[in-house]
Amino acid sequence: MPYFDAASAAPLHPVARQALLAALDEGWADPARLYREGRRARLLLDAAREAAADAVGCRPDELVFTSSGTTAVHAGVAGALSGRRRVGSHLALSAVEHSSVLHAAAAHEAAGGTVTQVPVGRSGAVDPEGYAGALRDGTALACLQSANHEVGTEQPVAEVAALCAEAGVPLLVDAAQSLGWGPVAGGWSLLTASAHKWGGPAGVGLLAVRKGVRFAPQGPAGERESGRAPGFENLPAIVAAAASLRAVRDEAAAEAVRLRAMVDRIRTVVAERVGDVEVVGDPERRLPHLVTFSCLYVDGETLLHELDRHGFSVSSGSSCTSSTLEPSHVLKAMGVLSEGNVRVSLPMGTAEVDVDRFLEVVPGVVAEVRERLGAPVSAPPSPAPARSLVVDALGRRCPIPVIELAKVIGEVPVGATVTVLADDEAARLDIPAWCEMREQEYVGEEPADRGSAYVVRRLS
Amino acid sequence: MPYFDAASAAPLHPVARQALLAALDEGWADPARLYREGRRARLLLDAAREAAADAVGCRPDELVFTSSGTTAVHAGVAGALSGRRRVGSHLALSAVEHSSVLHAAAAHEAAGGTVTQVPVGRSGAVDPEGYAGALRDGTALACLQSANHEVGTEQPVAEVAALCAEAGVPLLVDAAQSLGWGPVAGGWSLLTASAHKWGGPAGVGLLAVRKGVRFAPQGPAGERESGRAPGFENLPAIVAAAASLRAVRDEAAAEAVRLRAMVDRIRTVVAERVGDVEVVGDPERRLPHLVTFSCLYVDGETLLHELDRHGFSVSSGSSCTSSTLEPSHVLKAMGVLSEGNVRVSLPMGTAEVDVDRFLEVVPGVVAEVRERLGAPVSAPPSPAPARSLVVDALGRRCPIPVIELAKVIGEVPVGATVTVLADDEAARLDIPAWCEMREQEYVGEEPADRGSAYVVRRLS
C-alpha cells in the first residue's frame, strides 16, 4: 500500500527502530544522575548529540533536543527575539513558512512586535532582494525555511544568510523538510528540524543556536538541554533520531537521484494525462521527493478520498480538505491554483512500480470526480449569443464556482464578461488562477450583497 | 543490579514496551490526515486518550498529551493563570512543589504576578489551613502536589481542594509521583502527570483541565491537542503511556502492600543500624515505595558513589550532590537534616532480597564514609576545661562544619557554647537540624567577616 506523504511523517527508518529498541533498555534512566544507569543514559545522550551536530554542521554544545520540530521553532524564535530585544522587535520571514513559524510570528505580533512577510514568486521561492528590503533597522530576527513543505521549492538560504550577515541580523532556518537530504548551506545562525520528517521517531526536534548568537530562553526555567528545552529528555527517541539521521544521510545521495527521476516523471505525466492541471513549485530547485499539482474542477477532499480508496496516501494543501476551510497559505502566496490540490512526497525506498500505478490511476480518478461534479470535459462549447453572464455560486463550495465559470465562459462572445457570485473563500484564489491557466482576463473582484462578484473577461 | 530511583524514572514496564513496538508499526502517521495510516493513528490516539482519562478520572475531552510532565505543568499553570487574569494574578502553592511548578511560579512572578508559598510541617505535609490563609482575593490559581517527590509524604489534596472550591479558586494537582498508584481524590480542577514516572516511556505528560475551568493556552497557537500542547503527537509513546498506566494500576494494590512493607523495614532498620540518622517524611501518609533518610557527618555525593559501587542506584536531595550546591528546597522547607541524604524509591517488582542486601550494605558504607571524614563514632569524649569554643570551618563544605561541631561539643561544659564559623550554605540548615537531633540548643546565627557564625549551646 503506497504511502506518499513523507512530508507529513516519514515511516520509521529500520535503523531508528533498532536504535529505539536498544535505547529503551539502555537509556530509560535520568542522564542527570550519577549512578550507572544515569551515566549510561548520559553517554547515549552525548553520543546522540555529537551525531546530530555532525549532521547539522554545528558543535555539539550548540545543539539541543526538543520535543518536536514545532517546539524547536517556538523556542528558537522566542529565544532569538528576546536575546536581541534591545536591537528592536522586528521579525522578517517568508510568506510560505510552516505554520509553526507563522504561529510564533503571530504570538510575537500579539505581544507588540512587528512582522514583515517577504513575498514569494509563482515558483514559491523568495527573492533575496525581498529580504534585503525587509531587514530594516530594529530587525531582531529573520526566518527562512530551507525548502517549502507544500511545494518542495528550495529557498535561496545561502544568499539570504549573506544578506542577513551583512545587516547583522541572525537568520533562523527551518530545515524540517530538507535535513535528511543534507546539511543547510550558508551562514545560518539558528536551525530547527524534526526527526519524524527524516524517518526518526515522533517526539524529537532539533534546535541549533550558533555560539555568539544572542539567545534568551523564554518560559519557565529548566535544567535540561542548556535551559532551552524543558522536561525530562526523551532519550530513547533522541538516540533513534540521531542514528536514523546518520543512516538516512548515507542513503540520501543515491535516493535523491532515484526519487528525483520519479518526481520528474510525475510532473510530466500528470501534466500530459490529467489535463487542466497546474504542476506547482520550482521544477529544478526543489526537494528530490516532493511534487504538488492542482486539478481544475475537482475538490481536494474527494480526490484524496478516491486516491485513498485506490490505496494511495497523499496529502493536500487544498481548501477543500476537511481539516481546514482556508486555502493553503502557501498556494495563496504563490498565486497558483489551490483547488484539487495533491501533494505527493515519496518516502525513501519508494518502489518505481508504485509510482507507475499512481500515474495510471490518477487521470481516471480526476476524470471521474470531474464527471460527478459536472465539470467541462474538453474544450468549451461553441459561443452562444448572450453578451455577458452572471453565475450564482453563492453557498457553493470549492470547486463548484470555478466549474460554473468554466461551463459558461464559452457562452459569451470574446470580449464579454462572466461575473461569478461566490462566498467561498477559495474562489478569491482559484478564479484568478483559472484565468491565468486558461488565458482569460481576470478583471477583478467587486463587493456584492453576499460574498463577492468575480468578473472574468473572455479573451479567446 | 538493584535500581532504587523509581521516583526519577521508572524502568519501562513490559506492557509499555509491547505497546510502543506495536504503535511504531501502526501509529507513526499523522492522526490529522484522512488516509488509512492517518485514520489508524487517530484511532490509536483516541483509544489512548480514553484509557488515560479513565485512569485519571476525567472525560477524554478534558485530557491532552504533552511532551513531558514538566511541559504539562508549565502549560497548565500558565493557561489557568491567564484564563483567570481578570480575577487577579495571585498564585498559591506549597513550598515543597516539584521544580517545574516552582519554575512556572517564578516565571509568573517575573511577569508581575504574586506568589505565596504555603509552608509545610516537619513531615513535609501542608496544613490545609495554610492554604485557607493563602487563598486571598485575587487568587487566580492554587497548586498542590499529590505526594512529595523527595520524601514521599502525601498531601491533604481533598481537604485543600474543598477549601479552594469554597474560595472559587481552581486547584492544579501535580500528580507525577502518585498517578501510577491510583487516581487523585478530591475536587481538583487541573491535574498533571508524567508517564516515565509510572513505567511509561519518556516524552509523554498528561494535562487534564476540567470542563468549566477557565483556561487560555499560552505561547504560539497550535492545531494539536486542543491547542494545549504544540507539535506533532508523539503517538507510539502516547499509546505506550496509556497502556502501561492501565497495566500498572492493575498491579498497584498488591504492589503497594508489598513495597510498603519493604519501606517500613528500611525505615526501621536504617534508624536502628546506621545511627545518627534522621528518617524523614510522614511514616504513615506516604507513597508506598519511597523513603528518605539523612545521615549525620556524611556527604551525599560520596555516599551515593559508594552505594553505586555496591550496585545500588539511589538518589539524593542533599546539598552535597554534584548537580547542585543548593540544599534541597524540600528538606529546607521541612527543617530537617539535609546532609548525607538518600532517597530510596522502589520500582514495582522490586525483589525483597535486594532490599535485604541494601540494608546489609548501608550501615557499613555510612560508617566507612564517616571514618574517612573523621566524624565522631560514638558518644562525644569526656568534657574538657574550655568554657566556650570557636571552630573555624570557613571554606569547608558540607558535612565538615557539622562534623567539626560534633567533635568539640563534648569539650565545652554544659551551658557553654560552640561557635562554628562557616560559609557553606548547607550549614545554615544542618547545624540547627543537628541541634534538634542531638538535643542541644541552637542559639542562632550571627554575621561574621566571612560566612556566618552559628552559635550552639551544650545542654547535655
Side-chain angles (χ1 to χ4, degrees):
Chain A
M1 300 287 272
Y3 171 83
F4 287 170
D5 196 20
S8 282
L12 197 68
H13 193 283
V15 165
R17 195 188 160 92
Q18 280 165 28
L20 186 62
L21 284 181
L24 284 177
D25 297 331
E26 295 289 316
W28 51 270
D30 184 346
R33 298 292 174 183
L34 303 175
Y35 43 69
R36 65 188 175 280
E37 294 89 351
R39 295 193 303 268
R40 215 152 58 195
R42 165 64 53 188
L43 287 175
L44 287 174
L45 181 58
D46 290 347
R49 197 184 313 279
E50 270 172 41
D54 186 53
V56 166
C58 68
R59 290 164 32 174
D61 61 353
E62 294 174 329
L63 184 141
V64 299
F65 295 106
T66 66
S67 63
S68 67
T70 295
T71 53
V73 165
H74 292 176
V77 169
L81 284 170
S82 179
R84 280 175 49 89
R85 66 185 173 280
R86 285 199 202 130
V87 174
S89 65
H90 178 238
L91 169 65
L93 75 174
S94 89
V96 295
E97 295 298 316
H98 184 261
S99 60
S100 59
V101 178
L102 297 181
H103 288 151
H108 177 59
E109 223 166 0
T114 54
V115 174
T116 300
Q117 285 204 1
V118 178
V120 296
R122 218 177 151 77
S123 77
V126 296
D127 179 351
E129 288 312 307
Y131 270 84
L135 298 177
R136 54 176 168 77
D137 275 0
T139 302
L141 178 68
C143 297
L144 179 61
Q145 62 195 187
S146 55
N148 187 266
H149 52 296
E150 285 196 29
V151 301
T153 300
E154 286 177 349
Q155 301 292 354
V157 170
E159 294 91 318
V160 171
L163 287 167
C164 286
E166 211 171 287
V169 173
L171 177 68
L172 182 151
V173 176
D174 167 17
Q177 289 297 334
S178 75
L179 197 68
W181 296 107
V184 173
W188 50 265
S189 299
L190 301 99
L191 183 144
T192 61
S194 170
H196 76 106
K197 305 284 191 195
W198 70 64
V204 183
L206 303 182
L207 168 61
V209 182
R210 292 259 190 231
K211 288 285 156 202
V213 173
R214 286 187 178 278
F215 193 85
Q218 296 303 287
E223 295 93 3
R224 311 261 168 186
E225 294 298 291
S226 314
R228 291 175 181 177
F232 189 82
E233 287 94 346
N234 187 357
L235 190 50
I238 286 172
V239 169
S244 57
L245 180 54
R246 195 191 293 238
V248 158
R249 280 287 185 82
D250 287 346
E251 302 158 8
E255 274 300 283
V257 172
R258 232 170 52 82
L259 298 185
R260 184 172 282 275
M262 291 189 204
V263 164
D264 277 339
R265 271 193 63 222
I266 297 174
R267 294 184 73 95
T268 312
V269 174
V270 160
E272 280 170 16
R273 291 196 208 157
V274 173
D276 289 345
V277 73
E278 183 171 11
V279 181
V280 301
D282 195 296
E284 296 299 327
R285 293 193 56 166
R286 61 169 174 83
L287 292 169
H289 67 304
L290 195 155
V291 53
T292 295
F293 53 88
S294 297
C295 308
L296 263 179
Y297 317 138
V298 168
D299 82 281
E301 186 168 348
T302 306
L303 191 52
L304 259 52
H305 180 72
E306 290 301 316
L307 287 170
D308 177 51
R309 279 205 325 125
H310 283 82
F312 295 97
S313 299
V314 296
S315 178
S316 174
S318 172
S319 57
C320 307
T321 53
S322 72
S323 51
T324 168
L325 289 172
E326 278 286 294
S328 143
H329 71 277
V330 172
L331 302 175
K332 204 166 169 177
M334 292 164 66
V336 296
L337 186 72
S338 81
E339 77 183 25
N341 182 266
V342 172
R343 178 183 71 182
V344 175
S345 49
L346 307 175
M348 287 189 174
T350 294
E352 195 149 6
V353 62
D354 287 334
V355 171
D356 291 345
R357 213 162 63 74
F358 179 73
L359 290 173
E360 278 159 28
V361 162
V362 166
V365 165
V366 173
E368 193 191 305
V369 175
R370 283 175 176 161
E371 199 184 332
R372 215 185 298 163
L373 291 168
V377 180
S378 54
S382 50
R387 267 215 72 74
S388 72
L389 269 175
V390 175
V391 171
D392 181 358
L394 289 167
R396 313 291 303 273
R397 288 264 301 282
C398 156
I400 299 300
V402 178
I403 289 179
E404 295 299 320
L405 167 61
K407 272 188 189 164
V408 302
I409 190 80
E411 296 175 19
V412 302
V414 170
T417 59
V418 174
T419 299
V420 182
L421 300 174
D423 50 9
D424 183 43
E425 186 57 29
R428 179 165 293 127
L429 184 58
D430 289 337
I431 290 176
W434 180 90
C435 290
E436 183 139 349
M437 289 174 74
R438 278 289 172 272
E439 297 181 348
Q440 306 293 352
E441 181 189 347
Y442 178 63
V443 180
E445 175 183 344
E446 288 162 12
D449 282 355
R450 247 181 83 202
S452 290
Y454 301 93
V455 183
V456 174
R457 190 184 314 281
R458 183 175 173 198
L459 295 186
S460 58
Chain B
M1 300 288 271
Y3 172 83
F4 288 169
D5 196 21
S8 282
L12 197 68
H13 193 282
V15 165
R17 195 187 162 92
Q18 279 166 27
L20 186 63
L21 284 180
L24 285 176
D25 297 331
E26 296 288 317
W28 51 270
D30 184 347
R33 298 293 175 182
L34 302 175
Y35 42 68
R36 65 188 174 281
E37 294 88 351
R39 295 193 303 269
R40 216 151 58 194
R42 165 64 53 189
L43 287 176
L44 288 174
L45 180 57
D46 290 347
R49 196 183 314 278
E50 270 172 41
D54 187 52
V56 167
C58 68
R59 289 165 33 175
D61 62 352
E62 294 176 329
L63 183 141
V64 299
F65 295 105
T66 66
S67 64
S68 67
T70 295
T71 52
V73 164
H74 291 177
V77 170
L81 284 171
S82 178
R84 279 175 50 89
R85 65 185 174 280
R86 284 198 203 131
V87 174
S89 65
H90 178 240
L91 169 65
L93 75 175
S94 88
V96 295
E97 295 297 316
H98 185 262
S99 60
S100 59
V101 178
L102 297 181
H103 287 151
H108 177 59
E109 223 166 359
T114 54
V115 174
T116 300
Q117 284 204 3
V118 178
V120 296
R122 216 175 152 80
S123 76
V126 296
D127 179 350
E129 288 311 308
Y131 269 84
L135 298 177
R136 55 176 169 77
D137 275 0
T139 301
L141 179 67
C143 298
L144 179 61
Q145 62 196 187
S146 54
N148 186 268
H149 52 297
E150 284 194 30
V151 301
T153 300
E154 286 177 346
Q155 300 292 354
V157 170
E159 293 92 318
V160 171
L163 288 168
C164 286
E166 210 171 287
V169 173
L171 176 68
L172 182 149
V173 176
D174 166 17
Q177 290 297 333
S178 76
L179 196 68
W181 296 108
V184 173
W188 50 265
S189 299
L190 301 100
L191 182 144
T192 61
S194 170
H196 77 105
K197 306 283 191 196
W198 71 63
V204 182
L206 304 182
L207 168 62
V209 183
R210 293 262 190 227
K211 286 287 156 204
V213 173
R214 285 187 179 277
F215 193 85
Q218 296 303 286
E223 294 93 3
R224 311 259 168 189
E225 295 297 292
S226 314
R228 292 176 180 175
F232 189 83
E233 287 94 347
N234 187 358
L235 190 50
I238 286 171
V239 169
S244 57
L245 179 54
R246 195 192 292 237
V248 158
R249 281 288 185 80
D250 288 344
E251 302 157 8
E255 274 300 285
V257 171
R258 231 171 52 82
L259 298 185
R260 183 172 283 276
M262 292 188 203
V263 164
D264 278 338
R265 270 193 65 223
I266 297 174
R267 294 185 72 95
T268 311
V269 175
V270 161
E272 280 171 16
R273 292 197 206 155
V274 173
D276 289 344
V277 73
E278 183 171 10
V279 181
V280 301
D282 195 297
E284 296 298 328
R285 291 193 58 167
R286 61 169 176 83
L287 292 168
H289 67 305
L290 196 155
V291 54
T292 295
F293 53 88
S294 298
C295 307
L296 263 178
Y297 317 138
V298 168
D299 83 280
E301 187 169 350
T302 306
L303 191 51
L304 259 52
H305 181 72
E306 289 301 316
L307 287 170
D308 177 50
R309 279 206 324 124
H310 284 82
F312 294 98
S313 299
V314 296
S315 179
S316 174
S318 172
S319 58
C320 307
T321 53
S322 72
S323 51
T324 167
L325 289 173
E326 279 287 293
S328 143
H329 70 277
V330 172
L331 302 177
K332 205 166 169 176
M334 292 165 66
V336 297
L337 186 72
S338 82
E339 76 183 25
N341 181 266
V342 172
R343 177 183 71 182
V344 175
S345 50
L346 307 175
M348 287 189 175
T350 294
E352 197 149 5
V353 62
D354 287 334
V355 171
D356 291 345
R357 212 163 64 71
F358 179 73
L359 290 173
E360 277 159 29
V361 162
V362 166
V365 165
V366 173
E368 192 191 305
V369 175
R370 282 175 178 162
E371 197 183 336
R372 214 185 299 163
L373 291 168
V377 181
S378 54
S382 51
R387 266 214 73 73
S388 71
L389 270 176
V390 176
V391 171
D392 180 359
L394 289 167
R396 315 290 303 273
R397 289 264 301 284
C398 155
I400 299 299
V402 177
I403 290 178
E404 294 300 319
L405 166 61
K407 273 188 189 165
V408 301
I409 190 81
E411 296 174 20
V412 302
V414 170
T417 59
V418 175
T419 300
V420 183
L421 300 174
D423 50 8
D424 183 43
E425 186 57 29
R428 178 165 294 128
L429 184 59
D430 289 336
I431 290 175
W434 179 90
C435 291
E436 183 138 350
M437 288 174 73
R438 279 288 172 274
E439 299 182 346
Q440 307 294 352
E441 181 189 347
Y442 178 63
V443 179
E445 175 184 344
E446 287 162 13
D449 282 354
R450 248 181 83 203
S452 290
Y454 300 93
V455 183
V456 175
R457 187 183 315 281
R458 183 174 172 198
L459 295 186
S460 58

